[in-house]
Amino acid sequence: MKNAPALAAALVALALPLPCSAGSASLTIDAGAPGPVINRNIYGQFSEHLGHCIYGGIWVGRDSKVPNVDGYDKAVIDALRELRVPILRWPGGCFADEYHWRDGIGPIEKRPSVYNSHWGGVVENNHFGTHEFLNLCEMLGIEPYVCVNVGSGTVQEAMEWVEYMTSDSDSPMANLRRANGRDKPWKVHFVAVGNESWGCGGSMRPEFYADNYRRYNTFIKDYDPANKISRIACGPASDDYDWTDTLMRLAGKQMDGLALHYYTIPSGDWAKKGSATHFGRPQYLSALANTLHMEELISRHSAIMDKYDPQKKVGLIVDEWGIWTDVETGTNPGFLYQQNSMRDAIIAALNLHIFQSHADRVRGANIAQMVNVLQSMILTDGARIVLTPTYHVFDMFKVHQGAVSIPVSLKTPNLADTQYEIPEVSASASRGADGRIHLSLVNTNPDAAASVACTLDGAPLGPVSGTILTASSMTAHNTFDDPHAVEPRPFSGARSSGAGLEVLLPPLSVVMLNL
């Protein structure tokens, strides 16, 4: 994938890198030419029955010694509330296509256990099911995004699950829900029809899945006119452009969204991905190059979608993304537990910039995953939690949620002494409902500061405030013994200069400016 980031380097964050003096960049923000709204669901999360994401993460049980709110870890709930999570995907992932929802309803003590064949070979007690997930979403104001079982399930099972969750009629499934303690239906606006149907979800050919999608779509009913369900089709694995073409050609008119999965593998080798915290400059650069490949993927899949859907009615949903490293030493390989470093914060910010630069087509994204798995927001250990550098990026960037994107023109050098084309500076801008302009900046250089000369066109430049996330090392991370090693602090590196703004970005930094 060494050459894959070439297009990414040319287009990231609506910016066209051109040669300029080393260590300096120039940025023009065109506030008078607003673009599309940045869908808040780009900042979505993913919670699969995998490792300790659910059990021992979100859910500890009502009888746990860990402080909890009706079984949910209180510290985790408080942290997620602060993050303003817009949408949450569940129950998988590969787990979704072996999950039978009836096993997870009714009295907790009577629910059958299930064997998790995909992730660690553990037996789960099904104490976290439909009610627990949807009540969590309701408590935190999160849109639930439910993935139905296509791989090992049936159309009837999927149809009845949607009825159970969303129908307010005097019907068998609605009455079963009432018998289980929930009178009124939940609002479920997003339903995924299977997961990775080309792989763990059934090893299907695109033509076969397209026919299955059309069949399932027919029986996923809108029981409430005010609760129109958006149906999300299983999209491609990274650069499988034939899958996208086939799905759009055969089922594009029946779908509201098409899912894309792509992970940043630091080494580019799935068999030996690389450590989350023990790496040097070469591994840092290869990880950034691989993550910038997201730009090419979105551009090329969007072009195919444009061919069949020029009005852009179908959203591209990047519902699995993030960095995937080797697991931490001594942990279950099937639990995908990894640490989270300053490198991951940079990777998160770059991906979010890419998504925002394609706000006309990218309508959602779900980082993998929310707690204790892959590039998580939160790590837990009993009653202790750690907020990761990635959490802090999402917290800083939440002002972009639902804001109007603003075009930026960026001239930046690429990082020197590398075989990859990696822009030193990345940028994205938006205008919130309050009229404030928010500018996020990334300095990918781990060794040197970057100066950015900013010009604001179409709006006056008022007072500037800012927040920065940075660290002295690419490998810096938070631990249970040192949970505040990497966290945001006020930023004072921006100053007015005539009609513009001069910004000095420290090495390895993510900055959010409020103009």
Side-chain angles (χ1 to χ4, degrees):
M1 197 179 292
K2 291 180 180 178
N3 296 321
L7 181 60
L11 294 174
V12 69
L14 290 180
L16 181 63
L18 297 173
C20 61
S21 60
S24 63
S26 62
L27 173 71
T28 300
I29 306 168
D30 192 354
V37 171
I38 298 167
N39 196 308
R40 64 193 299 267
N41 291 338
I42 284 172
Y43 289 83
Q45 301 287 332
F46 177 27
S47 58
E48 184 170 5
H49 287 248
L50 198 173
H52 292 300
C53 183
I54 302 293
Y55 300 105
I58 298 168
W59 181 261
V60 294
R62 296 177 179 89
D63 298 328
S64 174
K65 294 181 180 179
V66 174
N68 67 88
V69 179
D70 201 25
Y72 308 101
D73 185 314
K74 184 180 184 303
V76 171
I77 295 303
D78 290 343
L80 294 177
R81 182 177 284 111
E82 179 66 24
L83 208 57
R84 294 210 305 257
V85 176
I87 189 169
L88 180 58
R89 181 173 178 247
W90 174 85
C94 293
F95 182 84
D97 282 290
E98 291 186 1
Y99 181 68
H100 300 284
W101 67 270
R102 287 175 181 267
D103 293 340
I105 61 173
I108 278 182
E109 65 277 5
K110 293 183 179 180
R111 297 179 190 177
S113 295
V114 61
Y115 178 71
N116 192 333
S117 66
H118 286 290
W119 306 119
V122 296
V123 175
E124 299 185 7
N125 58 23
N126 264 319
H127 286 188
F128 190 94
T130 300
H131 288 249
E132 289 73 28
F133 171 68
L134 295 177
N135 288 344
L136 169 68
C137 291
E138 193 171 69
M139 182 196 323
L140 297 179
I142 297 172
E143 290 273 10
Y145 177 16
V146 175
C147 186
V148 300
N149 183 343
V150 173
S152 68
T154 65
V155 170
Q156 181 178 353
E157 182 179 17
M159 178 180 69
E160 290 181 344
W161 196 12
V162 173
E163 179 187 345
Y164 183 93
M165 293 185 289
T166 65
S167 174
D168 196 28
S169 64
D170 184 18
S171 67
M173 293 301 103
N175 287 333
L176 177 59
R177 182 192 68 240
R178 294 184 181 104
N180 287 327
R182 173 77 183 198
D183 181 21
K184 291 297 180 181
W186 295 277
K187 299 293 185 183
V188 179
H189 297 295
F190 299 91
V191 171
V193 181
N195 166 79
E196 295 190 358
S197 299
W198 36 263
C200 64
S203 299
M204 303 178 192
R205 296 180 302 113
E207 295 84 0
F208 183 77
Y209 173 75
D211 287 341
N212 268 282
Y213 173 84
R214 290 166 62 117
R215 187 165 66 106
Y216 273 73
N217 178 65
T218 302
F219 294 96
I220 294 175
K221 309 290 186 180
D222 290 320
Y223 292 94
D224 178 1
N227 182 39
K228 167 93 171 52
I229 293 174
S230 291
R231 283 84 164 173
I232 313 300
C234 168
S238 59
D239 58 358
D240 186 350
Y241 301 111
D242 178 65
W243 183 282
T244 296
D245 192 281
T246 302
L247 261 292
M248 290 300 298
R249 176 170 53 86
L250 297 179
K253 292 182 180 179
Q254 287 79 36
M255 67 177 70
D256 298 293
L258 183 70
L260 167 65
H261 291 181
Y262 176 69
Y263 287 96
T264 296
I265 308 301
S267 67
D269 180 0
W270 280 88
K272 192 174 183 180
K273 305 175 189 70
S275 170
T277 54
H278 299 286
F279 58 87
R281 181 182 171 89
Q283 292 77 27
Y284 170 78
L285 294 174
S286 64
L288 263 59
N290 290 339
T291 212
L292 288 172
H293 184 51
M294 181 70 82
E295 170 65 41
E296 178 180 341
L297 293 174
I298 291 177
S299 295
R300 293 186 62 179
H301 286 296
S302 294
I304 295 169
M305 295 172 75
D306 287 346
K307 181 171 66 172
Y308 298 100
D309 175 36
Q311 291 79 33
K312 300 184 187 295
K313 295 180 180 179
V314 181
L316 184 61
I317 314 297
V318 191
D319 63 13
E320 287 191 28
W321 68 275
I323 185 170
W324 191 328
T325 69
D326 294 334
V327 301
E328 293 300 305
T329 302
T331 65
N332 187 324
F335 283 8
L336 306 187
Y337 179 83
Q338 65 189 47
Q339 251 295 351
N340 196 294
S341 70
M342 189 64 211
R343 176 182 67 177
D344 302 339
I346 297 289
I347 283 172
L350 292 175
N351 275 284
L352 293 169
H353 280 181
I354 292 171
F355 300 154
Q356 292 184 177
S357 74
H358 291 276
D360 60 334
R361 179 63 82 177
V362 178
R363 312 278 170 73
N366 304 80
I367 190 169
Q369 293 185 12
M370 194 161 70
V371 185
N372 289 329
V373 174
L374 298 175
Q375 191 175 351
S376 56
M377 304 293 110
I378 301 168
L379 304 176
T380 68
D381 177 25
R384 300 190 296 172
I385 74 165
V386 164
L387 304 181
T388 68
T390 298
Y391 175 98
H392 294 309
V393 169
F394 271 69
D395 192 36
M396 292 166 62
F397 278 38
K398 66 188 178 186
V399 292
H400 283 315
Q401 290 186 23
V404 175
S405 61
I406 296 176
V408 300
S409 176
L410 175 68
K411 296 180 181 180
T412 175
N414 289 326
L415 292 182
D417 302 321
T418 173
Q419 60 186 309
Y420 309 108
E421 295 182 37
I422 300 173
E424 186 173 63
V425 175
S426 175
S428 187
S430 68
R431 186 194 297 273
D434 60 359
R436 298 292 301 271
I437 292 175
H438 309 290
L439 172 64
S440 48
L441 297 163
V442 180
N443 179 8
T444 61
N445 195 323
D447 303 313
S451 61
V452 185
C454 300
T455 301
L456 181 62
D457 290 342
L461 180 62
V464 179
S465 61
T467 305
I468 184 171
L469 184 73
T470 188
S472 59
S473 167
M474 298 174 287
T475 62
H477 57 280
N478 297 328
T479 67
F480 295 105
D481 294 327
D482 189 5
H484 305 294
V486 183
E487 60 183 9
R489 64 177 187 267
F491 177 65
S492 58
R495 61 181 179 85
S496 296
S497 175
L501 191 68
E502 292 288 341
V503 184
L504 184 62
L505 301 174
L508 207 70
S509 61
V510 180
V511 168
M512 175 62 73
L513 295 178
N514 300 310
L515 310 182

